[in-house]
Amino acid sequence: MPSKTDLYFPPEDNALDVAQMQNAKLDPIPSVWGHFAGRLGLNRDDVHFIDSRLQELLAS
């Protein structure tokens, strides 16, 4: 789950991988923190986004 602003692992690169996997979904974190999105819970919005996506995954 890359960040939309991640310069190390841009979502466009992951799109190529996801296209080759069954039942995969690319859902980038909408964060301005780039590669540090969600790190150590520093940004509440990032953490909420990640947690909600993990809950969806585990419920499926």
Side-chain angles (χ1 to χ4, degrees):
M1 186 186 307
S3 166
K4 286 187 176 184
T5 56
D6 192 332
L7 298 178
Y8 293 117
F9 303 104
E12 296 80 15
D13 290 352
N14 295 120
L16 300 171
D17 299 327
V18 169
Q20 303 301 314
M21 294 184 275
Q22 290 182 331
N23 302 320
K25 177 182 175 184
L26 179 61
D27 196 4
I29 304 165
S31 177
V32 298
W33 294 100
H35 192 68
F36 294 104
R39 184 174 182 188
L40 302 174
L42 295 176
N43 183 295
R44 186 177 302 169
D45 292 336
D46 292 355
V47 171
H48 176 72
F49 182 87
I50 294 167
D51 285 350
S52 68
R53 295 320 186 270
L54 287 172
Q55 288 173 359
E56 288 176 19
L57 175 65
L58 295 173
S60 65

